[in-house]
Amino acid sequence: EKYDSNIFLTDGDRDEDFLKKGKRLSRIRVPAQAGEVTTCLPVPAPGSYAISLYHDEDGSKKLSKNFFGLPTEGYGFSRDAPISLRLPDLDETVFTAMPGDTPVRITMRY
């Protein structure tokens, strides 16, 4: 069974809220599928934002992590921010949403 991908929008001006539980501006779930998935995530207004997402491979409705706190399910961040021994900082993921469509391509990492 293919579970949802969860996509989170965060205010790009609030470093203290980045990746914190209950601090996201919005969340959407889209069906996971092989290949490219396209979706639209509305923002409240033009400005700075960050997107984090994960593939809920086990259907737990939360990102599964290992002993070190790193993801064990597919994940991604706006600006394709990498992770190594830590999750990215907000400034590594922030992008500017302009009026109209602002395409953001995110590569899932497994």
Side-chain angles (χ1 to χ4, degrees):
E1 183 172 343
K2 295 179 181 177
Y3 291 99
D4 292 342
S5 291
N6 291 274
I7 305 170
F8 303 95
L9 180 68
T10 304
D11 186 327
D13 294 323
R14 298 201 36 93
D15 191 48
E16 65 273 15
D17 291 349
F18 185 55
L19 301 177
K20 301 294 188 280
K21 187 174 183 173
K23 297 295 184 174
R24 63 185 176 259
L25 293 175
S26 67
R27 171 189 190 162
I28 61 170
R29 290 187 174 112
V30 297
Q33 64 185 43
E36 188 170 301
V37 175
T38 302
T39 190
C40 184
L41 182 64
V43 297
S48 298
Y49 298 95
I51 297 173
S52 58
L53 59 91
Y54 73 94
H55 177 190
D56 190 12
E57 296 175 66
D58 62 7
S60 66
K61 299 204 185 306
K62 64 180 184 175
L63 176 63
S64 298
K65 300 176 185 176
N66 65 18
F67 176 76
F68 300 105
L70 297 175
T72 59
E73 297 179 300
Y75 65 92
F77 294 94
S78 43
R79 292 184 45 207
D80 275 337
I83 72 165
S84 53
L85 298 177
R86 64 169 179 80
L87 293 173
D89 294 325
L90 178 64
D91 64 349
E92 296 172 295
T93 65
V94 125
F95 68 96
T96 302
M98 304 303 287
D101 293 340
T102 303
V104 177
R105 180 174 287 267
I106 300 173
T107 302
M108 295 290 288
R109 293 182 166 93
Y110 287 88

XYZ file of all heavy atoms in Angstrom:
864
model
N 0.849 -1.181 0.000
C 0.000 0.000 0.000
C 0.889 1.237 0.000
O 1.892 1.298 0.693
C -0.894 -0.014 1.245
C -1.848 1.129 1.280
C -2.844 0.976 2.424
O -2.988 -0.129 2.968
O -3.464 1.964 2.743
N 0.489 2.231 -0.778
C 1.221 3.489 -0.829
C 0.515 4.483 0.073
O -0.642 4.804 -0.138
C 1.267 4.016 -2.259
C 2.051 3.128 -3.195
C 2.035 3.696 -4.586
C 2.808 2.788 -5.514
N 2.773 3.257 -6.889
N 1.196 4.976 1.071
C 0.604 5.936 1.984
C 0.843 7.350 1.496
O 1.554 7.585 0.534
C 1.158 5.734 3.399
C 0.692 4.443 4.003
C 1.497 3.324 3.991
C -0.571 4.341 4.562
C 1.065 2.125 4.532
C -1.019 3.150 5.111
C -0.195 2.046 5.093
O -0.621 0.864 5.631
N 0.258 8.295 2.195
C 0.340 9.694 1.808
C 1.734 10.268 1.993
O 2.525 9.802 2.804
C -0.608 10.535 2.668
C -2.069 10.235 2.398
O -2.371 9.652 1.347
O -2.904 10.586 3.243
N 1.965 11.326 1.244
C 3.080 12.218 1.520
C 2.492 13.399 2.276
O 1.425 13.898 1.944
C 3.734 12.699 0.233
O 4.402 11.639 -0.402
N 3.162 13.821 3.322
C 2.713 14.934 4.140
C 3.587 16.140 3.832
O 4.812 16.049 3.888
C 2.830 14.584 5.623
C 1.828 13.522 6.002
O 0.700 13.831 6.316
N 2.232 12.264 5.962
N 2.953 17.271 3.521
C 3.671 18.475 3.131
C 3.319 19.581 4.123
O 2.150 19.839 4.382
C 3.293 18.900 1.700
C 3.538 17.726 0.729
C 4.087 20.132 1.282
C 2.988 17.947 -0.653
N 4.354 20.223 4.669
C 4.166 21.242 5.694
C 4.709 22.579 5.213
O 5.799 22.642 4.647
C 4.900 20.861 6.980
C 4.486 19.536 7.520
C 5.206 18.402 7.209
C 3.371 19.418 8.326
C 4.821 17.162 7.705
C 2.979 18.187 8.823
C 3.701 17.059 8.512
N 3.976 23.641 5.484
C 4.399 24.992 5.157
C 4.738 25.714 6.446
O 3.977 25.671 7.412
C 3.274 25.743 4.431
C 3.578 27.171 4.019
C 4.639 27.195 2.907
C 2.311 27.876 3.554
N 5.886 26.385 6.468
C 6.355 27.105 7.643
C 6.647 28.552 7.267
O 7.126 28.827 6.173
C 7.660 26.466 8.178
O 7.422 25.084 8.445
C 8.142 27.139 9.444
N 6.382 29.473 8.187
C 6.721 30.884 8.000
C 8.237 31.009 7.915
O 8.951 30.607 8.833
C 6.178 31.690 9.181
C 6.356 33.184 9.020
O 7.354 33.610 8.407
O 5.506 33.924 9.536
N 8.745 31.565 6.831
C 10.179 31.668 6.617
C 10.863 32.737 7.440
O 12.077 32.875 7.394
N 10.093 33.506 8.204
C 10.677 34.546 9.050
C 10.706 34.149 10.524
O 11.082 34.948 11.366
C 9.879 35.856 8.895
C 10.005 36.437 7.506
O 11.099 36.339 6.916
O 9.007 36.993 7.003
N 10.294 32.934 10.839
C 10.204 32.521 12.246
C 11.077 31.296 12.495
O 10.600 30.177 12.572
C 8.757 32.250 12.619
C 7.912 33.517 12.480
C 6.641 33.522 13.268
N 6.669 32.893 14.545
C 6.919 33.522 15.704
N 7.193 34.802 15.719
N 6.882 32.861 16.842
N 12.358 31.536 12.639
C 13.336 30.477 12.840
C 12.970 29.578 14.021
O 13.127 28.362 13.972
C 14.728 31.079 13.048
C 15.824 30.039 12.996
O 15.828 29.222 12.053
O 16.659 30.034 13.912
N 12.425 30.175 15.070
C 12.083 29.407 16.272
C 10.932 28.424 16.043
O 10.739 27.496 16.831
C 11.758 30.343 17.446
C 10.528 31.199 17.241
C 10.776 32.521 16.510
O 11.847 32.697 15.884
O 9.877 33.371 16.542
N 10.168 28.585 14.968
C 9.046 27.697 14.684
C 9.385 26.576 13.709
O 8.619 25.629 13.557
C 7.875 28.493 14.096
C 7.228 29.413 15.116
O 7.539 29.303 16.313
O 6.406 30.251 14.694
N 10.531 26.679 13.048
C 10.865 25.726 11.985
C 10.956 24.302 12.525
O 11.682 24.024 13.470
C 12.184 26.132 11.323
C 12.552 25.283 10.136
C 11.682 25.130 9.072
C 13.768 24.635 10.086
C 12.018 24.361 7.977
C 14.120 23.862 8.993
C 13.236 23.725 7.934
N 10.176 23.400 11.922
C 10.107 21.973 12.250
C 9.604 21.690 13.672
O 9.796 20.601 14.187
C 11.468 21.288 12.032
C 12.019 21.371 10.610
C 13.395 20.723 10.549
C 11.075 20.730 9.615
N 8.946 22.664 14.292
C 8.403 22.473 15.633
C 6.951 22.012 15.541
O 6.171 22.510 14.728
C 8.475 23.759 16.456
C 9.867 24.309 16.642
C 10.724 23.398 17.483
C 12.048 24.001 17.854
N 13.086 23.984 16.875
N 6.598 21.064 16.372
C 5.241 20.525 16.394
C 4.233 21.644 16.670
O 4.424 22.451 17.567
C 5.139 19.453 17.478
C 3.829 18.731 17.475
C 3.829 17.590 18.462
C 2.523 16.847 18.385
N 2.534 15.641 19.193
N 3.188 21.684 15.864
C 2.117 22.649 16.041
C 2.420 24.047 15.531
O 1.606 24.944 15.695
N 3.573 24.264 14.920
C 3.959 25.602 14.473
C 3.847 25.796 12.961
O 4.204 26.837 12.453
C 5.389 25.924 14.917
C 5.559 25.971 16.411
C 4.764 27.102 17.014
C 5.023 27.197 18.501
N 4.376 28.363 19.082
N 3.352 24.817 12.253
C 3.246 24.943 10.798
C 2.074 25.849 10.431
O 1.104 25.969 11.176
C 3.087 23.570 10.175
C 1.820 22.871 10.608
C 1.751 21.464 10.056
N 0.595 20.781 10.556
C 0.602 19.902 11.545
N 1.734 19.591 12.134
N -0.499 19.329 11.935
N 2.172 26.467 9.276
C 1.090 27.307 8.772
C 0.000 26.465 8.125
O -1.175 26.793 8.212
C 1.620 28.304 7.744
C 2.561 29.375 8.282
C 3.113 30.210 7.130
C 1.852 30.265 9.279
N 0.406 25.402 7.448
C -0.563 24.499 6.842
C 0.073 23.144 6.605
O 1.290 22.997 6.632
C -1.130 25.073 5.534
O -0.131 25.132 4.554
N -0.799 22.174 6.363
C -0.371 20.803 6.091
C -1.345 20.220 5.084
O -2.555 20.404 5.209
C -0.421 19.977 7.367
C -0.198 18.504 7.144
C -0.486 17.745 8.423
N -0.073 16.378 8.319
C 0.116 15.587 9.346
N -0.093 16.028 10.570
N 0.496 14.357 9.169
N -0.806 19.545 4.093
C -1.665 18.809 3.176
C -1.097 17.407 3.021
O 0.092 17.174 3.227
C -1.805 19.496 1.795
C -0.456 19.612 1.085
C -2.467 20.849 1.919
C -0.580 20.068 -0.362
N -1.979 16.502 2.689
C -1.574 15.119 2.395
C -1.938 14.841 0.951
O -3.046 15.159 0.511
C -2.283 14.143 3.312
C -1.814 14.213 4.731
C -2.454 13.082 5.551
N -1.884 13.060 6.878
C -2.547 13.375 7.978
N -3.816 13.713 7.911
N -1.949 13.321 9.146
N -1.008 14.262 0.231
C -1.260 13.876 -1.153
C -0.895 12.409 -1.303
O 0.009 11.913 -0.624
C -0.472 14.751 -2.157
C -0.916 16.199 -2.068
C 1.011 14.644 -1.944
N -1.596 11.685 -2.178
C -1.277 10.270 -2.367
C 0.152 10.101 -2.883
O 0.581 10.807 -3.795
C -2.289 9.800 -3.414
C -3.384 10.814 -3.379
C -2.737 12.108 -2.977
N 0.871 9.195 -2.285
C 2.237 8.891 -2.729
C 2.173 8.042 -3.986
O 1.285 7.218 -4.146
C 2.987 8.152 -1.632
N 3.121 8.281 -4.870
C 3.218 7.479 -6.081
C 4.643 7.549 -6.587
O 5.387 8.464 -6.235
C 2.245 7.973 -7.155
C 2.552 9.372 -7.641
C 1.503 9.883 -8.615
O 0.320 9.700 -8.411
N 1.946 10.528 -9.673
N 5.021 6.600 -7.392
C 6.358 6.606 -7.987
C 6.453 7.749 -8.984
O 5.468 8.138 -9.605
C 6.632 5.274 -8.674
N 7.640 8.314 -9.125
C 7.850 9.389 -10.088
C 7.522 10.741 -9.505
O 7.550 10.941 -8.297
N 7.190 11.655 -10.377
C 6.937 13.034 -9.963
C 5.508 13.216 -9.478
O 4.565 12.693 -10.065
C 7.207 13.968 -11.145
C 7.166 15.422 -10.772
C 7.679 16.306 -11.886
O 8.850 16.137 -12.294
O 6.899 17.163 -12.354
N 5.346 13.972 -8.393
C 4.037 14.325 -7.864
C 3.963 15.846 -7.866
O 4.872 16.519 -7.397
C 3.841 13.792 -6.424
C 2.528 14.265 -5.838
C 3.933 12.281 -6.406
N 2.879 16.382 -8.397
C 2.694 17.829 -8.444
C 1.473 18.178 -7.613
O 0.437 17.516 -7.701
C 2.486 18.304 -9.901
O 3.615 17.912 -10.675
C 2.319 19.803 -9.963
N 1.601 19.214 -6.806
C 0.482 19.676 -5.995
C 0.588 21.178 -5.814
O 1.636 21.775 -6.081
C 0.439 18.953 -4.631
O -0.779 19.249 -3.984
C 1.606 19.357 -3.752
N -0.473 21.790 -5.354
C -0.485 23.227 -5.098
C -0.679 23.437 -3.602
O -1.601 22.876 -3.006
C -1.622 23.890 -5.876
S -1.641 25.682 -5.689
N 0.197 24.227 -3.016
C 0.146 24.526 -1.587
C -0.048 26.032 -1.444
O 0.883 26.799 -1.672
C 1.446 24.077 -0.921
C 1.577 24.256 0.569
C 0.549 23.405 1.311
C 2.977 23.859 1.015
N -1.262 26.477 -1.122
C -1.497 27.915 -1.023
C -0.747 28.537 0.150
O -0.594 27.906 1.203
C -3.008 28.041 -0.818
C -3.537 26.675 -0.668
C -2.444 25.688 -0.872
N -0.269 29.761 -0.038
C 0.387 30.509 1.030
C -0.509 31.685 1.396
O -1.287 32.160 0.577
C 1.797 30.986 0.622
C 2.705 29.798 0.350
C 1.769 31.915 -0.567
N -0.432 32.168 2.646
C -1.311 33.267 3.074
C -1.086 34.573 2.316
O -2.018 35.329 2.096
C -0.972 33.455 4.549
C -0.209 32.247 4.960
C 0.381 31.646 3.730
N 0.161 34.844 1.920
C 0.514 36.087 1.237
C 1.905 35.924 0.651
O 2.653 35.030 1.069
C 0.491 37.253 2.230
N 2.304 36.765 -0.302
C 3.692 36.714 -0.763
C 4.632 36.886 0.432
O 4.318 37.595 1.386
C 3.788 37.905 -1.722
C 2.384 38.113 -2.202
C 1.524 37.780 -1.018
N 5.769 36.215 0.396
C 6.715 36.325 1.505
C 7.645 35.142 1.567
O 7.756 34.363 0.615
N 8.307 34.991 2.697
C 9.285 33.921 2.913
C 8.629 32.717 3.573
O 7.924 32.871 4.579
C 10.420 34.426 3.805
O 11.101 35.480 3.179
N 8.903 31.536 3.006
C 8.325 30.302 3.516
C 9.343 29.173 3.390
O 10.342 29.294 2.679
C 7.062 29.920 2.729
C 5.971 30.949 2.856
C 5.816 31.944 1.905
C 5.117 30.931 3.951
C 4.826 32.907 2.034
C 4.117 31.888 4.086
C 3.984 32.870 3.126
O 3.007 33.821 3.267
N 9.062 28.080 4.062
C 9.857 26.863 3.929
C 8.884 25.698 3.843
O 7.819 25.709 4.459
C 10.791 26.681 5.118
N 9.257 24.687 3.079
C 8.437 23.483 2.946
C 9.260 22.290 3.405
O 10.429 22.150 3.047
C 7.990 23.262 1.487
C 7.097 24.417 1.022
C 7.265 21.919 1.335
C 6.742 24.359 -0.452
N 8.639 21.461 4.224
C 9.221 20.167 4.569
C 8.181 19.118 4.223
O 6.984 19.369 4.282
C 9.590 20.105 6.061
O 8.456 20.337 6.868
N 8.638 17.951 3.805
C 7.690 16.894 3.465
C 8.298 15.538 3.757
O 9.509 15.405 3.894
C 7.255 17.007 2.005
C 8.320 16.944 0.923
C 8.535 15.517 0.463
C 7.896 17.796 -0.252
N 7.432 14.569 3.916
C 7.902 13.202 4.080
C 6.894 12.226 3.512
O 5.717 12.534 3.378
C 8.213 12.885 5.549
C 7.002 12.718 6.440
C 6.462 11.456 6.684
C 6.411 13.810 7.045
C 5.359 11.307 7.504
C 5.313 13.662 7.866
C 4.794 12.404 8.100
O 3.684 12.260 8.904
N 7.383 11.064 3.145
C 6.566 9.964 2.635
C 6.252 9.065 3.817
O 7.142 8.425 4.366
C 7.351 9.211 1.562
C 6.630 8.026 1.014
N 7.258 7.116 0.206
C 5.351 7.595 1.141
C 6.399 6.170 -0.125
N 5.239 6.442 0.429
N 5.012 9.018 4.205
C 4.583 8.219 5.353
C 4.521 6.747 4.946
O 3.454 6.178 4.771
C 3.228 8.720 5.842
C 2.820 8.112 7.169
O 3.665 7.478 7.824
O 1.647 8.275 7.544
N 5.684 6.148 4.798
C 5.799 4.789 4.265
C 5.103 3.739 5.125
O 4.628 2.729 4.614
C 7.269 4.419 4.095
C 7.977 5.292 3.076
C 9.448 4.991 2.995
O 9.803 3.873 2.569
O 10.243 5.877 3.357
N 5.053 3.947 6.434
C 4.439 2.953 7.315
C 3.013 3.309 7.734
O 2.377 2.583 8.492
C 5.313 2.704 8.551
C 5.505 3.946 9.412
O 4.860 4.987 9.139
O 6.320 3.884 10.348
N 2.488 4.441 7.242
C 1.110 4.830 7.544
C 0.878 5.279 8.973
O -0.258 5.341 9.425
N 1.935 5.662 9.679
C 1.810 6.042 11.088
C 1.339 7.478 11.285
O 1.049 7.885 12.404
C 3.157 5.874 11.796
O 4.101 6.800 11.287
N 1.255 8.250 10.199
C 0.880 9.667 10.232
C 1.897 10.522 10.985
O 1.585 11.600 11.472
C -0.526 9.872 10.778
C -1.586 9.176 9.931
C -2.917 9.813 10.098
C -4.022 9.100 9.385
N -3.922 8.830 8.032
N 3.127 10.026 11.107
C 4.223 10.817 11.659
C 5.522 10.346 11.016
O 5.607 9.219 10.521
C 4.301 10.720 13.181
C 4.614 9.339 13.702
C 4.675 9.339 15.216
C 5.084 7.967 15.712
N 5.268 7.935 17.142
N 6.503 11.221 11.002
C 7.791 10.901 10.411
C 8.552 9.952 11.330
O 8.819 10.286 12.487
C 8.607 12.179 10.194
C 10.022 12.002 9.656
C 10.002 11.378 8.265
C 10.746 13.338 9.624
N 8.873 8.783 10.831
C 9.640 7.824 11.625
C 11.114 8.216 11.594
O 11.640 8.623 10.562
C 9.472 6.410 11.069
O 8.120 6.028 11.151
N 11.762 8.114 12.751
C 13.165 8.504 12.879
C 13.955 7.399 13.552
O 13.405 6.567 14.267
C 13.281 9.777 13.722
C 12.555 10.959 13.132
C 12.628 12.151 14.055
C 11.795 13.300 13.532
N 11.779 14.420 14.476
N 15.266 7.431 13.350
C 16.142 6.452 13.998
C 16.593 6.951 15.370
O 16.164 8.015 15.833
C 17.336 6.110 13.094
C 18.273 7.287 12.857
O 18.278 8.281 13.586
N 19.087 7.169 11.819
N 17.469 6.222 15.992
C 17.977 6.531 17.327
C 18.599 7.932 17.396
O 18.554 8.594 18.420
C 19.008 5.464 17.728
C 19.669 5.712 19.042
C 19.004 5.467 20.228
C 20.959 6.212 19.091
C 19.611 5.708 21.449
C 21.592 6.456 20.297
C 20.904 6.196 21.486
N 19.175 8.379 16.291
C 19.843 9.677 16.255
C 18.899 10.818 15.882
O 19.312 11.965 15.773
C 21.019 9.646 15.273
C 22.056 8.634 15.644
C 22.161 7.448 14.937
C 22.901 8.846 16.721
C 23.101 6.496 15.285
C 23.846 7.901 17.080
C 23.952 6.726 16.367
N 17.619 10.502 15.648
C 16.636 11.518 15.303
C 16.582 11.851 13.825
O 15.934 12.808 13.424
N 17.254 11.053 12.999
C 17.244 11.287 11.556
C 16.143 10.461 10.906
O 15.814 9.367 11.371
C 18.606 10.937 10.962
C 19.766 11.796 11.480
C 21.087 11.293 10.925
C 19.556 13.251 11.144
N 15.538 10.968 9.819
C 14.408 10.278 9.183
C 14.772 8.884 8.663
O 15.858 8.673 8.122
C 14.060 11.193 8.011
C 14.648 12.519 8.344
C 15.857 12.236 9.166
N 13.830 7.948 8.840
C 13.978 6.614 8.261
C 12.984 6.418 7.112
O 12.920 5.351 6.530
C 13.770 5.513 9.318
O 12.469 5.647 9.888
C 14.829 5.590 10.407
N 12.188 7.449 6.811
C 11.261 7.438 5.689
C 11.717 8.524 4.715
O 12.480 9.420 5.083
C 9.842 7.736 6.165
C 9.309 6.671 7.114
C 7.922 6.971 7.619
O 7.709 8.012 8.256
O 7.039 6.141 7.373
N 11.240 8.459 3.491
C 11.594 9.471 2.505
C 11.193 10.853 2.980
O 10.150 11.025 3.604
N 12.030 11.851 2.686
C 11.792 13.211 3.149
C 12.370 14.199 2.139
O 13.133 13.828 1.238
C 12.436 13.453 4.515
C 13.946 13.361 4.430
C 14.707 14.489 4.192
C 14.600 12.140 4.514
C 16.086 14.403 4.050
C 15.964 12.044 4.376
C 16.701 13.180 4.145
O 18.050 13.090 3.993
N 12.037 15.462 2.307
C 12.605 16.505 1.467
C 12.318 17.873 2.056
O 11.443 18.028 2.918
N 13.075 18.863 1.580
C 12.927 20.241 2.027
C 12.994 21.169 0.832
O 13.658 20.867 -0.160
C 14.059 20.625 3.000
C 14.020 19.877 4.295
C 14.766 18.723 4.455
C 13.235 20.318 5.350
C 14.733 18.018 5.639
C 13.205 19.621 6.536
C 13.945 18.470 6.691
N 12.329 22.316 0.945
C 12.461 23.320 -0.103
C 13.935 23.686 -0.244
O 14.719 23.551 0.686
C 11.603 24.555 0.205
O 11.692 24.955 1.550
N 14.289 24.103 -1.455
C 15.664 24.391 -1.855
C 16.534 23.135 -1.790
O 17.753 23.221 -1.799
C 16.272 25.526 -1.029
C 15.603 26.867 -1.315
C 16.198 28.045 -0.630
N 17.642 28.065 -0.683
C 18.399 28.661 0.246
N 17.836 29.284 1.258
N 19.703 28.655 0.133
N 15.887 21.980 -1.715
C 16.587 20.695 -1.650
C 17.690 20.697 -0.594
O 18.778 20.150 -0.783
C 17.153 20.275 -3.013
C 16.104 19.567 -3.847
O 15.142 19.024 -3.260
O 16.236 19.556 -5.065
N 17.399 21.324 0.526
C 18.369 21.397 1.624
C 18.768 19.979 2.045
O 17.913 19.142 2.304
C 17.773 22.151 2.807
N 20.062 19.719 2.096
C 20.523 18.379 2.486
C 20.545 18.210 4.006
O 20.492 19.185 4.754
C 21.953 18.347 1.943
C 22.394 19.768 2.023
C 21.160 20.596 1.742
N 20.582 16.977 4.433
C 20.857 16.712 5.845
C 22.039 15.760 5.883
O 22.263 14.985 4.965
C 19.663 16.134 6.633
C 19.367 14.696 6.247
C 18.436 16.984 6.495
C 18.466 14.003 7.229
N 22.809 15.865 6.914
C 23.902 14.915 7.118
C 23.747 14.369 8.527
O 23.046 13.409 8.733
C 25.258 15.595 6.885
O 25.359 16.767 7.669
N 24.331 15.007 9.490
C 24.176 14.566 10.878
C 23.169 15.425 11.625
O 23.025 15.300 12.834
C 25.530 14.590 11.581
C 26.571 13.651 10.975
C 27.895 13.804 11.702
C 26.106 12.209 11.027
N 22.477 16.296 10.898
C 21.467 17.159 11.508
C 20.429 17.537 10.457
O 20.692 17.461 9.259
C 22.109 18.421 12.071
C 22.737 19.283 10.996
C 23.134 20.666 11.491
N 23.742 21.446 10.436
C 23.083 22.094 9.476
N 21.772 22.033 9.420
N 23.720 22.792 8.559
N 19.266 17.954 10.919
C 18.260 18.482 10.010
C 18.695 19.871 9.565
O 19.460 20.544 10.270
C 16.905 18.542 10.716
C 16.306 17.179 11.063
C 15.048 17.346 11.902
C 16.007 16.387 9.810
N 18.226 20.354 8.413
C 18.660 21.674 7.947
C 18.114 22.792 8.824
O 17.087 22.643 9.494
C 18.092 21.751 6.536
C 16.950 20.819 6.528
C 17.296 19.717 7.489
N 18.802 23.915 8.793
C 18.316 25.129 9.441
C 17.320 25.805 8.515
O 17.322 25.574 7.299
C 19.476 26.092 9.715
C 20.460 25.546 10.736
O 20.022 24.846 11.674
O 21.664 25.832 10.602
N 16.500 26.683 9.073
C 15.500 27.392 8.281
C 16.139 28.132 7.114
O 15.641 28.065 5.992
C 14.724 28.371 9.164
C 13.679 29.219 8.447
C 12.571 28.344 7.873
C 13.107 30.261 9.383
N 17.260 28.807 7.336
C 17.858 29.596 6.259
C 18.346 28.745 5.088
O 18.575 29.254 4.001
C 18.971 30.507 6.771
C 20.159 29.766 7.348
O 20.078 28.544 7.565
O 21.189 30.416 7.590
N 18.466 27.439 5.279
C 18.852 26.534 4.196
C 17.650 26.095 3.359
O 17.815 25.488 2.303
C 19.548 25.298 4.767
C 20.863 25.622 5.459
C 21.441 24.420 6.178
O 20.821 23.941 7.151
O 22.525 23.969 5.757
N 16.445 26.376 3.834
C 15.232 25.903 3.169
C 14.313 27.018 2.686
O 13.402 26.774 1.909
C 14.413 24.997 4.113
O 13.959 25.776 5.224
C 15.229 23.828 4.609
N 14.532 28.235 3.134
C 13.606 29.331 2.867
C 13.607 29.732 1.387
O 14.638 29.717 0.740
C 13.951 30.523 3.796
C 14.198 31.811 3.080
C 12.907 30.729 4.825
N 12.420 30.027 0.877
C 12.255 30.534 -0.484
C 11.253 31.676 -0.430
O 10.534 31.838 0.560
C 11.780 29.429 -1.444
C 10.381 28.957 -1.161
C 9.296 29.484 -1.855
C 10.145 27.993 -0.194
C 8.005 29.057 -1.588
C 8.857 27.551 0.073
C 7.783 28.092 -0.621
N 11.205 32.482 -1.466
C 10.282 33.614 -1.526
C 9.133 33.281 -2.452
O 9.337 32.991 -3.630
C 11.008 34.884 -2.015
O 12.090 35.164 -1.125
C 10.064 36.078 -2.036
N 7.928 33.315 -1.905
C 6.719 33.108 -2.700
C 6.265 34.466 -3.223
O 6.112 35.419 -2.461
C 5.619 32.468 -1.857
N 6.093 34.540 -4.521
C 5.668 35.775 -5.179
C 4.174 35.678 -5.488
O 3.594 34.600 -5.397
C 6.469 35.955 -6.472
C 7.979 35.948 -6.277
S 8.576 37.195 -5.140
C 8.359 38.647 -6.124
N 3.535 36.800 -5.866
C 2.136 36.711 -6.301
C 2.022 35.733 -7.473
O 2.914 35.660 -8.318
C 1.807 38.142 -6.741
C 2.778 39.002 -5.987
C 4.036 38.177 -5.888
N 0.970 34.965 -7.507
C 0.809 33.946 -8.546
C 1.516 32.669 -8.136
O 1.762 32.421 -6.962
N 1.847 31.856 -9.103
C 2.491 30.570 -8.826
C 3.991 30.745 -8.608
O 4.650 31.494 -9.332
C 2.284 29.597 -9.984
C 0.825 29.194 -10.141
O 0.061 29.356 -9.170
O 0.460 28.721 -11.224
N 4.518 30.043 -7.616
C 5.954 29.989 -7.364
C 6.345 28.522 -7.337
O 6.196 27.848 -6.319
C 6.314 30.654 -6.013
O 5.844 32.006 -6.015
C 7.817 30.631 -5.781
N 6.793 27.975 -8.467
C 7.163 26.555 -8.484
C 8.343 26.274 -7.550
O 9.319 27.025 -7.525
C 7.559 26.289 -9.940
C 7.009 27.443 -10.718
C 6.952 28.596 -9.778
N 8.224 25.208 -6.780
C 9.281 24.766 -5.871
C 9.460 23.277 -6.117
O 8.545 22.491 -5.892
C 8.915 25.015 -4.389
C 9.995 24.483 -3.471
C 8.680 26.502 -4.139
N 10.624 22.897 -6.592
C 10.900 21.480 -6.850
C 11.655 20.916 -5.649
O 12.640 21.492 -5.200
C 11.741 21.316 -8.112
C 12.071 19.868 -8.436
C 12.773 19.773 -9.764
N 11.859 20.006 -10.864
C 11.222 19.024 -11.503
N 11.423 17.776 -11.174
N 10.405 19.296 -12.491
N 11.172 19.791 -5.134
C 11.793 19.147 -3.974
C 12.100 17.696 -4.334
O 11.209 16.968 -4.775
C 10.871 19.207 -2.737
C 10.582 20.671 -2.371
C 11.516 18.459 -1.569
C 9.558 20.819 -1.268
N 13.315 17.288 -4.123
C 13.712 15.904 -4.364
C 13.553 15.109 -3.078
O 14.065 15.497 -2.029
C 15.196 15.852 -4.813
O 15.335 16.655 -5.982
C 15.627 14.420 -5.104
N 12.811 14.009 -3.171
C 12.670 13.116 -2.012
C 13.965 12.346 -1.813
O 14.552 11.854 -2.774
C 11.507 12.145 -2.216
C 10.148 12.788 -2.282
S 9.603 13.455 -0.710
C 9.250 11.970 0.186
N 14.384 12.237 -0.573
C 15.588 11.463 -0.234
C 15.151 10.252 0.593
O 14.414 10.385 1.542
C 16.547 12.329 0.560
C 17.129 13.467 -0.263
C 18.122 14.274 0.562
N 18.901 15.133 -0.277
C 18.583 16.397 -0.545
N 17.508 16.911 -0.036
N 19.358 17.125 -1.326
N 15.673 9.114 0.206
C 15.353 7.863 0.916
C 16.609 7.257 1.478
O 17.677 7.453 1.003
C 14.686 6.874 -0.035
C 13.261 7.260 -0.374
C 12.981 8.095 -1.440
C 12.207 6.793 0.401
C 11.677 8.461 -1.748
C 10.897 7.151 0.093
C 10.652 7.975 -0.977
O 9.352 8.321 -1.266
